[in-house]
Amino acid sequence: ECDMDAGGSCYRELVAWTQLEISDAVDEDLIDAQTAVMYRDKLLDFQGALSGLFNFADQPISFFYIHFISLLSALYLPLFAVSSAFEAGVGADVYWTSDLVNGLIVFLQSIFVIGLRVLGQKLSDPYGADVEDL
């Protein structure tokens, strides 16, 4: 039994098994040698693609992305909210539609940045146990 979450050994075992099945099919004259070569080439392409995926799983999220999102969350969002608050009218200069639009923009930007942080967390483990993981 193969445990697909155990790492790259499982897919290598499946590739080796498939190579043996191709050899057995040639020995039993189920397929000709040219078809066997084509199957082996496709299998090696598949093995290379899987190897790339498993190698990618061990790579961390880029340093720039993590720090950019942290900087955006810690500095930009509060500064933008304060800037929008100062632009809000007081006294005779009250324009509630402008204030409502500014509040909506601050809210949406906060949602987008929080979404980017969640996306970064999901990208950090693409082969995890979540539903959307590979």
Side-chain angles (χ1 to χ4, degrees):
E1 180 176 312
C2 287
D3 182 15
M4 291 304 285
D5 294 328
S9 63
C10 186
Y11 85 86
R12 286 191 291 273
E13 181 180 342
L14 290 174
V15 168
W17 170 77
T18 308
Q19 289 278 16
L20 289 173
E21 288 296 319
I22 292 171
S23 296
D24 289 346
V26 170
D27 292 343
E28 295 174 7
D29 289 330
L30 297 174
I31 58 174
D32 60 352
Q34 186 177 6
T35 305
V37 169
M38 182 190 66
Y39 283 152
R40 286 186 183 116
D41 287 343
K42 293 293 183 187
L43 185 62
L44 290 177
D45 291 342
F46 178 69
Q47 180 183 13
L50 279 179
S51 174
L53 286 174
F54 274 97
N55 290 339
F56 178 75
D58 295 332
Q59 299 297 320
I61 296 179
S62 69
F63 179 81
F64 174 76
Y65 181 81
I66 292 171
H67 286 81
F68 178 70
I69 294 298
S70 297
L71 182 70
L72 195 66
S73 300
L75 294 178
Y76 174 71
L77 286 178
L79 287 176
F80 185 76
V82 168
S83 170
S84 294
F86 281 135
E87 289 177 6
V90 293
D93 294 331
V94 173
Y95 300 107
W96 67 271
T97 55
S98 173
D99 295 344
L100 182 67
V101 169
N102 281 340
L104 183 65
I105 290 172
V106 168
F107 176 74
L108 287 176
Q109 283 188 342
S110 300
I111 295 296
F112 291 153
V113 170
I114 291 170
L116 285 174
R117 290 187 72 162
V118 170
L119 178 66
Q121 291 171 348
K122 297 290 182 183
L123 287 175
S124 68
D125 188 18
Y127 301 108
D130 295 336
V131 175
E132 69 273 357
D133 291 336
L134 297 175

